[in-house]
Amino acid sequence: MRQVGIFGKRKSGKSALMYALTRQKIIQDASFSAMEISGVTKVMLVDTVGVDVEGSTAEKSAQTVEVALMLITDDSFELELAWINKLRKGGSSVIVVISRADLFTDGGAALAAAAREVSGLKTICVSSETGAGIVELDNLINHELSSISNCGFVNEE
Ligand SMILES: Nc1nc2c(ncn2[C@@H]2O[C@H](COP(=O)(O)OP(=O)(O)O)[C@@H](O)[C@H]2O)c(=O)[nH]1
Ligand SMILES: [Mg+2]
């Protein structure tokens, strides 16, 4: 099954995002983590332990996901950048997610701009609390998955 991984530090909102993305899409007869994201059938969303955990098992998940969501919550995201490089070298497409965006007065726009500039990647602000950006992220994930399958190889981008 195609896998989409959710990465980020502890308490960055990974589990809340997994729940928000899958809330209305749980396939009745499947395990809780197997679900349908919009038009794409049966994508497995993988929740991971924090990338800031020593000996993190996120290392293992990084090897199997086609698309990785890297959650960022504040402007010290050096560790996340290192993981982004690792994920991309391993062949995953990475989407940068400004998580818990409702906590920013500007909705995370400034942090998103900074992360976009440094990483050169698509960056989106989401709030699992308010639902802001969830549909847009869902669409972006589908876009990434379909461009991977359309090309028949894993995009460097
Ligand atoms: N305000 C706000 N809080 C959030 C949001 N997402 C998660 N949280 C809170 O942040 C904390 C950590 O969330 P969790 O999903 O468990 O993070 P994880 O450790 O990365 O899985 C919890 O107290 C959540 O209620 C969000 O979008 N907005
Ligand atoms: Mg969690």
Side-chain angles (χ1 to χ4, degrees):
M1 194 180 292
R2 308 186 75 180
Q3 293 185 19
V4 175
I6 306 179
F7 298 86
K9 288 179 185 145
R10 278 170 291 177
K11 300 286 167 201
S12 57
K14 299 180 296 297
S15 298
L17 179 60
M18 169 138 159
Y19 181 70
L21 278 171
T22 59
R23 220 167 12 193
Q24 293 153 344
K25 295 173 179 170
I26 294 172
I27 298 168
Q28 305 292 336
D29 62 354
S31 70
F32 91 105
S33 60
M35 55 232 20
E36 210 169 22
I37 302 180
S38 290
V40 180
T41 46
K42 292 198 178 173
V43 169
M44 170 106 71
L45 265 182
V46 182
D47 193 4
T48 65
V49 296
V51 293
D52 53 343
V53 174
E54 194 71 37
S56 176
T57 53
E59 296 271 3
K60 201 172 173 193
S61 304
Q63 293 165 13
T64 54
V65 299
E66 284 181 63
V67 176
L69 311 180
M70 179 54 75
L71 274 52
I72 290 177
T73 54
D74 57 54
D75 56 14
S76 59
F77 51 82
E78 295 79 14
L79 181 63
E80 289 85 344
L81 283 175
W83 272 81
I84 286 170
N85 288 333
K86 186 156 56 181
L87 284 157
R88 296 182 73 201
K89 277 194 190 124
S92 304
S93 295
V94 181
I95 299 170
V96 176
V97 175
I98 306 304
S99 177
R100 307 178 3 168
D102 58 290
L103 298 177
F104 297 89
T105 49
D106 68 348
L111 182 54
R116 195 178 289 120
E117 186 170 329
V118 176
S119 69
L121 295 173
K122 287 171 188 157
T123 304
I124 185 167
C125 301
V126 307
S127 168
S128 302
E129 195 92 358
T130 67
I134 296 294
V135 171
E136 290 81 357
L137 177 58
D138 185 5
N139 290 337
L140 200 47
I141 292 168
N142 279 311
H143 178 81
E144 291 297 323
L145 284 170
S146 60
S147 60
I148 292 166
S149 59
N150 289 349
C151 293
F153 58 85
V154 177
N155 242 321
E156 274 299 307
E157 230 279 300

